[in-house]
Amino acid sequence: MNEIQLHDKHFELFISSEEILTKVAALAKKIEADYEGKEILFLSILNGSFMFTSDLLKNIQKQLEVSFIKVSSYSGTSTTGRVDELIGLATSIKDKHIIVVEDIVDTGITIDKVITLLNASNPASISVCTFLYKPSAFKGNSVPQYIGFEIPNKFVVGYGLDYNQLGRNLAALYQLKETN
Ligand code: 5GP
Ligand code: MG
């Protein structure tokens, strides 16, 4: 499939499934080497990172823990307005080596908030492993340590990422066509 339609928009093939799996396996090997002798707790941010997390962890040949969390933001009643919280963090992260697994780091606002919230629980370390990174959109504090692909500032779907909830099941990555 070189071209797909989701809702009203057309997308074209951007990164093939084979290319993705090769890169994800290489990322897994790098993490394995960097964390030799350390136990890792992977925190996968739902919904977008489910497919990336699955492929990544199948390629890591060591004992590890994985847990799935969501980020929610809602308007609180305080004068500061927005309140953010992590949903689903059941296990203690104190003194653990955490790798946060994200689908995409765009402006970096989401991942910065996640790191701030996690740091409050005093883990031994935190790093970020993201499938995609848009350097030209990034305004965050720290660039992710592990990056699958750096991509231009265009909207993408597939491999977990959605357009209005569709497209998450696609095994390849697709980019919005200019002429929609
Ligand atoms: P942030 O700007 O905080 O780094 O990213 C926020 C969220 O925007 C991401 O977690 C992701 O859900 C969404 N996002 C950013 N760029 C894209 C994109 O190109 N495609 C899709 N499907 N979602 C994106
Ligand atoms: Mg996301």
Side-chain angles (χ1 to χ4, degrees):
M1 266 189 310
N2 278 318
E3 210 180 302
I4 55 156
Q5 181 172 357
L6 300 172
H7 301 292
D8 57 325
K9 302 235 183 285
H10 296 269
F11 297 84
E12 59 196 355
L13 186 64
F14 179 40
I15 305 175
S16 73
S17 167
E18 293 73 22
E19 211 181 326
I20 289 172
L21 292 177
T22 302
K23 184 60 74 77
V24 171
L27 264 185
K29 291 300 145 205
K30 177 140 185 30
I31 289 172
E32 240 179 46
D34 290 354
Y35 285 78
E36 212 188 322
K38 289 177 183 161
E39 283 179 26
I40 312 170
L41 168 57
F42 287 88
L43 292 180
S44 169
I45 314 281
L46 294 174
N47 294 321
S49 67
F50 79 96
M51 203 176 278
F52 176 47
T53 302
S54 172
D55 287 335
L56 182 74
L57 299 196
K58 277 186 278 184
N59 281 284
I60 298 182
Q61 317 301 330
K62 63 185 279 172
Q63 289 193 18
L64 58 83
E65 289 181 77
V66 59
S67 191
F68 295 85
I69 59 176
K70 276 202 164 197
V71 183
S72 97
S73 55
Y74 58 92
S75 295
T77 50
S78 69
T79 46
T80 50
R82 270 166 70 101
V83 181
D84 295 278
E85 61 175 4
L86 298 178
I87 302 172
L89 189 59
T91 50
S92 168
I93 65 164
K94 191 173 183 301
D95 301 326
K96 290 193 175 166
H97 293 286
I98 306 297
I99 298 183
V100 179
V101 184
E102 258 288 28
D103 52 354
I104 185 164
V105 173
D106 184 28
T107 62
I109 289 168
T110 306
I111 200 66
D112 273 0
K113 279 181 188 153
V114 170
I115 290 170
T116 302
L117 290 167
L118 291 175
N119 264 328
S121 302
N122 298 312
S125 68
I126 300 184
S127 64
V128 173
C129 177
T130 185
F131 172 52
L132 302 171
Y133 173 56
K134 290 180 176 172
S136 58
F138 188 72
K139 300 190 208 78
N141 288 319
S142 52
V143 174
Q145 288 82 355
Y146 302 98
I147 294 169
F149 298 91
E150 290 196 3
I151 62 167
N153 200 1
K154 280 190 190 167
F155 190 76
V156 292
V157 294
Y159 202 67
L161 293 107
D162 73 307
Y163 168 52
N164 287 346
Q165 301 310 323
L166 293 183
R168 294 193 195 275
N169 58 314
L170 296 162
L173 193 70
Y174 293 80
Q175 198 172 49
L176 184 65
K177 275 190 83 171
E178 296 295 352
T179 52
N180 265 279

